Amino acid sequence: MFVRIEPRPEPSRVMKYCSPLIAAVLMLISGLIIFTLLGKDPVQAFHAFFIEPIHDLYGIGELFIKAAPLMLIGTGLAIGFRANIWNIGAEGQMALGAIFGGYIAIIFHGSSSHFILPLMILCGAIGGILWAAIPALLKTVFNANEILVSLMLNYVALLLLEFLVHGPLRDPNGYGFPQSVLFSDSAMLPILIEGTRLHLGVLISIIGVGIGWVFLEKGFTGYQLQVAGLAQKAATYAGFKYKKLIWIGMLSGGITAGIAGALEIAGPIGQLLPSVSPGYGYAAIIVAFVGRLHPGGIFLSSLLMALLYLGGESGQMNLDLPSAVTGIFQGLLLFYLLAADFLIHYRLRLNSRQRENG
Amino acid sequence: MDFAIFIKILIAAVAAGTPFVYAALGELVTEKSGVLNLGVEGMMLVGAITGFIAMAKTGSLLLAVGCGMTAGMLMAAIFGVLTLTLMANQVASGLALTIFGIGLSAFLGLKYTSIALPGIPELPIPLLSDIPVLGKLFFSYDILVYGSLALLAIVSWFLYKTRAGLILRGVGEAPKSAHALGYNVVRIRYIAVLFGGAMAGLGGVYLSVAYTPVWVEGMVAGRGWVSLALVVFATWRPLRVLFGAYLFGAITIAQFHIQGLGIDIPSQLLSMLPYLATILVLVVISRDLTAIRLNSPASLGITYHPENQ
């Protein structure tokens, strides 16, 4: 062996920030290879996938629209992940947020009150919290694994949403299509910039990330979560109540996912549909990791992930690239990150002959 | 209820439970070595589509099984490199594997969507299958169902009757001691992880080639996650995995039979049953903390590397 693994005396701060960049670059290189394998001109495909979608103001707006739920949910999940509390149920919590928020929009359909939107967001948050409370409760009371419970609830939530739009919440004048009425203007988020679809929800999401930053970096609870994640026993000895941290970790994901769900239907979607998310709840997990579980990093990684979604759509339209490529890119990005993180704690040394002899 | 119908449901439950038997037994061996691979869903999906493609192209079941198992193993190898060599977090790596598998299988299956395969024939065992009722219930399945029972026997025998099985369990309980005794912990864990991947792939092949021989995107539909729950349900014991798998097989098919009985419940609500049942089972089993602590491998989910100690 010419290359030797050597533990670093201290984790490398440089590598901590470089490894997401390394991962992103490796993912882009893999993209070129995948495009070539698919028989596309790699440069043209690269342009269609990563540049074309954001070459104008409208495209930038779309980027932020897609990034908004990812950064919001990613921040909420990161709060739990820091303490090794694994809420994998954001996709379902988002669906519940959409259901609760959408229900408000439907029962107040036709009203022009200014209170509808805030009420939708509030109810969306409640929906997400309630759904996330189930795994938190089952974990704290019965010790049931929160990963499996929250994941199972994703399937349940999506079936619930499907049931509702096929039945009770279906538009009675909608020719039997599984969708709700189109929301009134009072239930729709206003557009912020003329010529784009950039809506108020993006601003709300960015504010949410800011609140997450204050909570994690400036508050005592954020510190407790960090300690619990690094050394659960130490946290217990210090008198931190781990059960309380489980609740905080799970519900922070729930509230952000619930709000994101309400913002999605009040923003780009405008009604309840059988599906309100192209996997944002799962993609947000990657966003949280690639963003180093830090709100600032999450903001940046959500933009990258949003670009993967936009690129998937653009590549499909312009070059007939299958949109499933997006999922492959997402998985690869996280693989590369986890692999590159190795260099935070270890360094590679070339073995010199002399040392081997000696 | 008619007795004949009851037998029919039991037979259908065995078929529906077989993917769980493969995937959960594979994961059980992986977890016994101390590694928690949450990527079962992704490995099953990739196994399902590779097996499906092999079957569609060649018509050879042997090739389909071989390709599916190899694909599952390759997926597991990615996980192994990340968690065992590069010491990445097992939870994050497993999630990445599942997300990657969902994307990769959808991508590979683009040209195969909604193509139907003929399925695989039943192999009634001569004489035994002619026994009234019992013959049909026990001796008239396809070869992959028998294969899953053979797997159960092999896994039980290996884990509890062989030296290698003892070493594998030792690595899962106390990797440091195993290392001190001169065993290569990382290599043993690699083998266990690859075995888990191959079995998850095979479970996927059973789904796409035998159980519902049509490729539908995301057709594993959470069965990988249920398999993970089944390992907990079985408190890491192989025979109980079989029982749990058939129980979940029965729950999976119950939705169709409830509709068949003319009970008017919306199909979406009935489809929730397996997922809700999984949660219920997890709660009932996990409540007993001592049983979990006694039975779960002590180093489960904790990274170990000799360079790191």
Side-chain angles (χ1 to χ4, degrees):
Chain A
M1 286 286 276
F2 292 110
V3 182
R4 202 157 46 89
I5 298 167
E6 188 180 86
R8 290 179 193 272
E10 282 193 26
S12 158
R13 285 187 68 86
V14 177
M15 274 313 301
K16 197 175 167 209
Y17 296 107
C18 279
S19 90
L21 294 176
I22 294 174
V25 169
L26 286 175
M27 183 202 68
L28 293 177
I29 294 171
S30 310
L32 289 176
I33 295 170
I34 291 174
F35 294 144
T36 314
L37 289 177
L38 288 170
K40 311 283 176 194
D41 174 14
V43 177
Q44 198 191 355
F46 188 86
H47 187 269
F49 209 97
F50 295 111
I51 305 201
E52 177 72 21
I54 48 167
H55 78 286
D56 56 7
L57 184 66
Y58 180 82
I60 303 276
E62 293 300 300
L63 185 72
F64 274 90
I65 290 172
K66 287 228 160 25
L70 294 171
M71 67 176 76
L72 185 59
I73 300 172
T75 304
L77 294 181
I79 293 173
F81 289 176
R82 281 200 178 191
N84 287 335
I85 295 154
W86 305 100
N87 177 0
I88 311 300
E91 189 76 4
Q93 289 144 22
M94 199 178 162
L96 260 286
I99 291 169
F100 274 54
Y103 184 67
I104 299 295
I106 291 165
I107 55 174
F108 290 111
H109 186 67
S111 154
S112 60
S113 161
H114 292 300
F115 292 106
I116 293 177
L117 260 180
L119 192 61
M120 281 173 75
I121 295 169
L122 179 70
C123 287
I126 293 172
I129 285 179
L130 288 177
W131 209 243
I134 301 171
L137 183 76
L138 299 184
K139 169 89 177 175
T140 48
V141 177
F142 299 111
N143 187 38
N145 182 301
E146 80 277 18
I147 300 176
L148 294 170
V149 173
S150 63
L151 196 113
M152 287 296 138
L153 286 171
N154 284 346
Y155 292 99
V156 177
L158 297 183
L159 287 164
L160 180 67
L161 174 62
E162 207 178 301
F163 160 70
L164 290 172
V165 291
H166 275 93
L169 297 182
R170 186 172 63 187
D171 178 5
N173 304 318
Y175 307 103
F177 282 110
Q179 54 194 37
S180 76
V181 290
L182 281 169
F183 297 162
S184 320
D185 284 346
S186 56
M188 296 286 290
L189 292 160
I191 301 291
L192 295 181
I193 300 175
E194 198 79 17
T196 69
R197 297 199 305 149
L198 197 82
H199 55 79
L200 184 63
V202 176
L203 190 63
I204 295 173
S205 301
I206 294 174
I207 294 171
V209 174
I211 295 172
W213 180 75
V214 173
F215 178 78
L216 273 176
E217 304 293 325
K218 302 289 161 199
F220 185 54
T221 312
Y223 172 72
Q224 287 181 319
L225 287 163
Q226 185 89 17
V227 173
L230 292 173
Q232 198 188 325
K233 274 188 184 151
T236 317
Y237 289 140
F240 303 166
K241 295 196 170 53
Y242 192 58
K243 283 193 175 176
K244 192 186 99 183
L245 295 180
I246 292 175
W247 277 99
I248 292 170
M250 292 301 288
L251 296 193
S252 57
I255 188 171
T256 51
I259 292 173
L263 293 177
E264 277 300 292
I265 53 152
I269 301 178
Q271 66 186 137
L272 271 185
L273 295 175
S275 166
V276 294
S277 149
Y280 287 146
Y282 297 109
I285 298 169
I286 304 178
V287 165
F289 279 116
V290 175
R292 302 262 73 119
L293 305 183
H294 186 286
I298 287 166
F299 175 79
L300 294 174
S301 64
S302 73
L303 293 175
L304 175 64
M305 194 63 78
L307 183 58
L308 290 181
Y309 275 111
L310 284 182
E313 291 171 9
S314 154
Q316 193 175 21
M317 277 189 294
N318 299 326
L319 284 172
D320 201 27
L321 280 169
S323 64
V325 169
T326 299
I328 297 180
F329 279 141
Q330 291 179 349
L332 283 177
L333 181 63
L334 189 45
F335 282 153
Y336 289 139
L337 177 87
L338 292 166
D341 276 358
F342 176 74
L343 295 172
I344 297 175
H345 299 283
Y346 298 88
R347 61 187 161 205
L348 303 176
R349 274 285 171 87
L350 289 177
N351 269 353
S352 62
R353 291 263 161 86
Q354 288 131 337
R355 209 183 282 169
E356 263 174 34
N357 292 337
Chain B
M1 199 191 290
D2 200 324
F3 189 64
I5 293 180
F6 181 66
I7 294 293
K8 245 174 108 178
I9 292 178
L10 280 184
I11 291 171
V14 169
T18 298
F20 297 127
V21 178
Y22 280 118
L25 281 176
E27 177 68 16
L28 183 137
V29 171
T30 303
E31 292 192 12
K32 274 286 182 190
S33 81
V35 181
L36 177 68
N37 185 351
L38 292 179
V40 182
E41 181 85 6
M43 298 189 295
M44 281 182 90
L45 272 166
V46 174
I49 186 57
T50 14
F52 188 89
I53 293 174
M55 191 71 176
K57 292 253 189 229
T58 67
S60 155
L61 177 64
L62 194 66
L63 218 61
V65 167
C67 288
M69 285 173 68
T70 312
M73 245 201 242
L74 286 175
M75 291 283 285
I78 302 177
F79 177 85
V81 170
L82 286 175
T83 58
L84 299 175
T85 303
L86 299 177
M87 291 167 263
N89 179 304
Q90 293 180 11
V91 173
S93 305
L95 288 172
L97 195 66
T98 285
I99 292 171
F100 179 70
I102 292 170
L104 183 64
S105 61
F107 176 69
L108 293 174
L110 279 174
K111 293 198 185 95
Y112 297 88
T113 304
S114 304
I115 291 178
L117 294 177
I120 62 174
E122 286 174 4
L123 271 186
I125 295 175
L127 295 179
L128 288 174
S129 60
D130 294 332
I131 304 168
V133 184
L134 293 182
K136 194 99 188 84
L137 181 56
F138 290 111
F139 303 110
S140 54
Y141 295 100
D142 60 55
I143 188 158
L144 288 178
V145 174
Y146 298 129
S148 69
L149 296 173
L151 177 70
L152 170 71
I154 293 169
V155 166
S156 308
W157 169 77
F158 170 78
L159 281 177
Y160 296 102
K161 301 280 182 224
T162 67
R163 195 177 153 72
L166 180 70
I167 295 168
L168 181 106
R169 287 186 288 136
V171 163
E173 293 296 339
K176 272 183 204 170
S177 315
H179 175 72
L181 288 170
Y183 296 112
N184 188 331
V185 172
V186 172
R187 185 192 298 160
I188 291 165
R189 286 187 166 177
Y190 256 109
I191 295 169
V193 165
L194 291 178
F195 177 78
M199 289 309 117
L202 184 50
V205 173
Y206 183 79
L207 265 179
S208 66
V209 169
Y211 184 62
T212 48
V214 186
W215 171 252
V216 183
E217 207 182 299
M219 69 181 294
V220 174
R223 286 184 178 85
W225 294 104
V226 174
S227 301
L228 279 160
L230 277 178
V231 178
V232 181
F233 168 77
T235 52
W236 291 269
R237 287 182 205 175
L239 190 61
R240 293 189 189 171
V241 166
L242 189 78
F243 174 69
Y246 292 158
L247 179 71
F248 270 85
I251 295 168
T252 314
I253 57 160
Q255 41 181 308
F256 307 113
H257 287 277
I258 291 174
Q259 276 182 323
L261 291 172
I263 299 167
D264 187 28
I265 304 175
S267 65
Q268 294 94 354
L269 299 187
L270 283 175
S271 301
M272 292 176 187
L273 273 177
Y275 309 115
L276 293 174
T278 307
I279 295 174
L280 184 72
V281 156
L282 274 174
V283 166
V284 171
I285 296 293
S286 311
R287 212 179 32 155
D288 188 356
L289 251 180
T290 28
I292 293 285
R293 282 208 186 117
L294 277 177
N295 289 300
S296 75
S299 75
L300 184 61
I302 301 167
T303 303
Y304 172 84
H305 199 279
E307 301 270 348
N308 198 14
Q309 303 303 314

